[in-house]
Amino acid sequence: MRFAKYAGRRLIFLVPQLFVVSIIVFFLVRLLPGDPAFLMAGQFATEERIEELRSTMGLDQPLYDQYARYVTNVLQGDFGHSWRTSQPVIEDIKQRLPATLELVLLTGFISVALGIPIGIYTAVKKRGIADRVLFGYGMLAGSIPDFWLGLILIFVFFSLTGILPGPIGQLDPIVSTPPRITGAIALDALLGGHWEAFKSAVLHLILPVATLTLVYMTLIIKNTRTMVEEMMNSDFVQHARAMGFKRSIQLRYAVRNALPPVVTVVGIVFWFLLGGAVLVETVFAWGGLGQYAVESVISSDYAPLQAFVLLAAVFTLLVFLLVDLAYFVIDPRIKT
Amino acid sequence: MEPLLAVDDVRVSFEKESGAVAVLNGVDLSVQPGESIGIVGESGAGKTVLVRTILNLLQEPWKVHQGQIRFDGEDLLAKQEEELRQIRGVKIALTSPEPRKQLNPLVRVGEQLAHGIRAHRKITRKEALELAVEALESVGIPDPHLRVRSYPHELSGGMCQRVVIAMALSHSPKLLLADEPTAGLDVTIARQILDLMAELVHEFGSSLMLVSRDMGVVAHYCQRVAVMYAGQIVEVGETEVFYGAAAHPYSRHLLRAARAARDDRRAAAATVEARAAAAHGCAYTPRCPVAITACEQSTPALEPVEDGHAARCFRRGEVARGEVQA
Ligand SMILES: Nc1ncnc2c1ncn2[C@@H]1O[C@H](COP(=O)(O)OP(=O)(O)O)[C@@H](O)[C@H]1O
Ligand SMILES: [Mg+2]
């Protein structure tokens, strides 16, 4: 009940945030030098196409009218056309978003499911072998950019040993794509029981997911470890210790109190992952939204770019909304 | 009678990179079964460190260099964490200043009490929660069956201290270490808390080590008083004897300060400047009005003034009899 009230309030709070985001994205194209209609239409557009855009964008109208038009269009799912794919941007997005979500969510969940326990373990078992391994890993992860690590992994596991498939997207070309259900190929193959496709999809997922996980999980491990260590030394855990509480309860007290900051970092990691996906998708020819964004930048295809920036901003807002809600569930001191 | 607790020449330091800081410089102290002893001394004297050393709680960078702590026939400093767990909370319990900080902010107080109970008794969670309600009732918390569901931030400081006391007494310990249980509470609440503690301790026949900076509180609740200065017990004696014939100049100073400003804590707020002097001679020498040459040259031992009354002072006899103005 309290939760519903809090969640409702936070959702309402989302409205002004979205408003600000939409204004920023709206000006994104308009502040670039040159005719916005020409920019949006792309370099090979015909005169009529540019004229048509000029009227849908209402470029002769006052700015607030143009903004209202933009918002109305977006709300109806109209993000304009990509001149590069000559499709409505919304269609392109629908096609590519599942692949990116698959990458980002899978990496996120693995990073959390492994990172938090590893962080806790090393907080408790200081000075073990795990600790030294982790130290080395932390140093590496902190210094290698994600796309570079991706290339190294491809070199080792594909070029050198051939254990895993190369960077050619989500599936072997000889395997037929399973019928679309969610759009995420591995999931669709699993749901439809297409084992050949499932195996291939999973094998293709390993390297990009490993790349992103290796780069970003270290943030979760380090933060969990620091926070749990700090909480083990807190007055209340030390008091529990002084009162002879079971070791498992002492640890539970510490972990519980370490969670809020860890949740924040998890949110940040999800946010970073979207950026990481942009580069890693390009390296692995993943065919997701990230790669789409990069290609759009390269070919000055502004309509998809504008849509991508908007989506990324909305994704970020949602992630931090979830972080806030998690805080609320964890900490009884937060008022509705 | 065999003492319940015997602290013998305990030395503890805080190991910094720049070197070790001696914090306890040879503490000797004993506690008899069922007695209440007050530990007084200004802030920084080492009272809290002593209490934590007794429970063998100190971790790096703290280091116990020397000494022995015998409790109920056992050598506490020689024990491992898991053996200590069977003593902590069961035979020796603790309360600390700032009670709210001693409670987990994310867990209901009843649940925390239940964790404390189940740490040492094989009962179900439900049974433990029922005992938690009783425990809250026994420390005078109104509506205990509702209060078990409160979080620490929903309770006042005084109520939190009652919860901490309830937890401390839930296994009827033989010794309760109460480290400044009323620091930061207002006077009426402080009285209630101390009365409650004294009553419960009496009921269980437990011993009480009451750490306080308030000479009046100690005089009222304790049969014996030990004065701590710069990491040593400098005087120990029966309350009445002590208040009538304190034998250490520092005790005299504390008593005078307490009389001069009954409720003005500032008098006792001075910090220990004399730590460095401890290596040679008596640590109190720089502040002592009756110091003699010998005081700078060697450290006096804790020697008897009369039966059951001892002080670390070369001139303890003269000071106790009031022959010199200390
Ligand atoms: N965390 C710490 N770091 C360094 N020194 C400390 C720390 N805690 C206590 N000390 C040292 O130990 C001495 C005794 O502290 P404490 O036992 O807390 O005093 P008391 O409880 O009598 O006020 C202090 O004077 C201080 O020098
Ligand atoms: Mg203290």
Side-chain angles (χ1 to χ4, degrees):
Chain A
M1 207 33 238
R2 276 178 75 232
F3 180 76
K5 193 171 149 203
Y6 182 74
R9 286 238 331 235
R10 283 296 282 104
L11 276 172
I12 292 171
F13 200 60
L14 211 55
V15 174
Q17 290 176 327
L18 285 171
F19 177 67
V20 173
V21 164
S22 67
I23 288 183
I24 294 170
V25 176
F26 169 72
F27 277 108
L28 189 73
V29 166
R30 257 148 273 250
L31 284 184
L32 293 170
D35 178 1
F38 185 76
L39 284 175
M40 292 293 280
Q43 45 199 313
F44 305 115
T46 59
E47 206 42 50
E48 298 95 77
R49 175 89 188 96
I50 293 176
E51 269 316 307
E52 187 194 321
L53 254 183
R54 214 166 255 144
S55 77
T56 32
M57 291 174 80
L59 288 175
D60 47 346
Q61 307 287 315
L63 267 184
Y64 59 83
D65 256 357
Q66 298 183 33
Y67 173 74
R69 237 177 248 256
Y70 168 68
V71 170
T72 318
N73 287 344
V74 164
L75 286 178
Q76 290 166 351
D78 179 2
F79 294 93
H81 269 71
S82 159
W83 65 259
R84 199 171 47 83
T85 64
S86 56
Q87 275 212 97
V89 171
I90 185 75
E91 291 308 319
D92 284 345
I93 289 177
K94 273 188 196 159
Q95 219 168 27
R96 292 167 171 80
L97 181 63
T100 298
L101 281 183
E102 189 176 36
L103 212 55
V104 169
L105 294 183
L106 197 59
T107 306
F109 286 129
I110 292 175
S111 302
V112 169
L114 284 179
I116 291 180
I118 293 176
I120 294 171
Y121 180 82
T122 50
V124 177
K125 283 247 184 315
K126 281 173 240 171
R127 287 194 288 252
I129 303 170
D131 199 50
R132 256 171 283 158
V133 170
L134 215 71
F135 181 76
Y137 160 52
M139 296 283 287
L140 277 181
S143 55
I144 298 183
D146 35 21
F147 67 90
W148 179 232
L149 180 65
L151 290 174
I152 294 175
L153 289 182
I154 291 168
F155 178 70
V156 174
F157 291 97
F158 171 66
S159 315
L160 226 51
T161 58
I163 301 173
L164 289 168
I168 46 157
Q170 310 175 52
L171 215 53
D172 266 344
I174 48 160
V175 178
S176 59
T177 310
R180 186 183 168 100
I181 304 171
T182 62
I185 292 182
L187 193 58
D188 287 350
L190 184 67
L191 292 175
H194 302 276
W195 303 118
E196 192 65 20
F198 180 64
K199 190 179 152 212
S200 173
V202 168
L203 286 176
H204 281 79
L205 267 170
I206 291 176
L207 284 184
V209 168
T211 304
L212 287 172
T213 304
L214 284 173
V215 171
Y216 294 105
M217 187 173 61
T218 158
L219 291 174
I220 295 178
I221 295 177
K222 268 190 211 150
N223 194 264
T224 306
R225 181 196 163 127
T226 315
M227 289 319 299
V228 171
E229 260 173 13
E230 197 176 313
M231 289 304 158
M232 286 303 275
N233 288 323
S234 68
D235 284 350
F236 56 88
V237 173
Q238 285 302 314
H239 190 74
R241 178 168 164 253
M243 296 304 294
F245 278 38
K246 289 179 189 140
R247 186 104 178 108
S248 58
I249 303 275
Q250 293 176 35
L251 184 61
R252 199 197 298 174
Y253 278 20
V255 170
R256 189 83 203 279
N257 280 273
L259 271 187
V262 170
V263 166
T264 305
V265 169
V266 168
I268 291 172
V269 163
F270 268 95
W271 182 55
F272 280 178
L273 274 176
L274 199 65
V278 169
L279 292 170
V280 168
E281 280 188 11
T282 306
V283 171
F284 287 92
W286 195 248
L289 215 52
Q291 193 183 347
Y292 181 62
V294 171
E295 288 162 359
S296 302
V297 172
I298 292 170
S299 48
S300 306
D301 197 355
Y302 283 101
L305 204 55
Q306 201 178 21
F308 180 80
V309 172
L310 183 67
L311 269 184
V314 170
F315 177 82
T316 309
L317 289 180
L318 286 180
V319 165
F320 286 100
L321 172 68
L322 287 178
V323 167
D324 267 7
L325 294 182
Y327 258 76
F328 183 80
V329 171
I330 296 167
D331 194 337
R333 286 167 297 187
I334 295 173
K335 304 242 161 42
T336 47
Chain B
M1 200 177 2
E2 177 84 352
L4 176 67
L5 174 77
V7 178
D8 181 22
D9 194 27
V10 165
R11 291 169 192 270
V12 169
S13 65
F14 185 86
E15 312 275 317
K16 286 195 221 170
E17 274 155 39
S18 52
V21 182
V23 172
L24 297 186
N25 299 304
V27 172
D28 297 300
L29 185 68
S30 66
V31 179
Q32 301 300 324
E35 85 163 331
S36 295
I37 183 169
I39 311 282
V40 295
E42 58 204 11
S43 169
K47 305 180 296 294
T48 298
V49 172
L50 172 61
V51 161
R52 303 189 75 77
T53 309
I54 292 172
L55 277 167
N56 198 351
L57 284 170
L58 297 181
Q59 289 171 313
E60 277 184 16
W62 291 94
K63 193 166 175 214
V64 181
H65 288 279
Q66 194 183 320
Q68 216 188 27
I69 296 178
R70 296 198 68 80
F71 171 82
D72 205 18
E74 301 188 89
D75 182 359
L76 295 187
L77 293 181
K79 288 191 178 302
Q80 296 300 309
E81 188 74 9
E82 191 52 34
E83 297 172 288
L84 288 164
R85 202 177 79 68
Q86 308 301 333
I87 292 170
R88 296 177 186 151
V90 192
K91 293 184 175 173
I92 308 178
L94 171 72
T95 76
S96 292
E98 300 193 272
R100 188 174 284 119
K101 284 196 184 167
Q102 315 305 321
L103 297 169
N104 184 341
L106 306 185
V107 175
R108 297 177 201 276
V109 294
E111 202 72 53
Q112 298 191 51
L113 283 168
H115 284 148
I117 294 166
R118 291 187 74 200
H120 308 293
R121 287 180 63 182
K122 284 202 164 60
I123 54 173
T124 64
R125 175 166 173 270
K126 192 153 166 286
E127 289 166 334
L129 280 172
E130 278 161 19
L131 289 178
V133 176
E134 285 173 27
L136 288 184
E137 190 163 21
S138 72
V139 293
I141 290 184
D143 300 323
H145 53 286
L146 296 179
R147 279 302 171 206
V148 280
R149 296 187 50 75
S150 298
Y151 289 98
H153 73 274
E154 296 167 340
L155 301 176
S156 67
M159 283 296 156
C160 284
Q161 191 59 287
R162 282 171 195 265
V163 173
V164 170
I165 292 170
M167 188 186 285
L169 296 178
S170 57
H171 298 282
S172 328
K174 292 187 177 171
L175 172 63
L176 175 63
L177 306 171
D179 189 1
E180 306 203 36
T182 56
L185 300 180
D186 69 53
V187 185
T188 30
I189 308 271
R191 272 282 127 141
Q192 291 169 7
I193 297 273
L194 288 165
D195 284 342
L196 171 78
M197 204 178 245
E199 184 194 317
L200 291 172
V201 160
H202 182 73
E203 192 183 317
F204 294 130
S206 315
S207 302
L208 172 67
M209 184 187 279
L210 177 62
V211 175
S212 179
R213 272 182 276 164
D214 187 329
M215 301 296 283
V217 162
V218 170
H220 190 263
Y221 292 96
C222 302
Q223 288 115 41
R224 283 203 304 146
V225 182
V227 179
M228 212 169 167
Y229 183 80
Q232 291 179 326
I233 302 292
V234 294
E235 179 162 8
V236 58
E238 305 278 330
T239 305
E240 273 163 36
V241 176
F242 176 81
Y243 281 81
H248 195 285
Y250 177 60
S251 311
R252 294 255 160 181
H253 163 76
L254 285 181
L255 288 167
R256 216 171 24 241
R259 263 179 224 122
R262 284 242 173 262
D263 291 311
D264 190 355
R265 305 260 145 92
R266 273 174 300 163
T271 47
V272 185
E273 318 105 42
R275 177 76 27 82
H280 295 285
C282 169
Y284 193 59
T285 308
R287 290 168 66 182
C288 186
V290 298
I292 50 175
T293 330
C295 304
E296 288 175 15
Q297 287 161 353
S298 58
T299 313
L302 190 60
E303 303 253 26
V305 185
E306 51 183 317
D307 228 17
H309 182 198
R312 267 183 189 272
C313 180
F314 292 124
R315 309 187 71 182
R316 60 194 174 278
E318 294 161 86
V319 175
R321 289 186 297 272
E323 290 166 13
V324 288
Q325 202 59 43

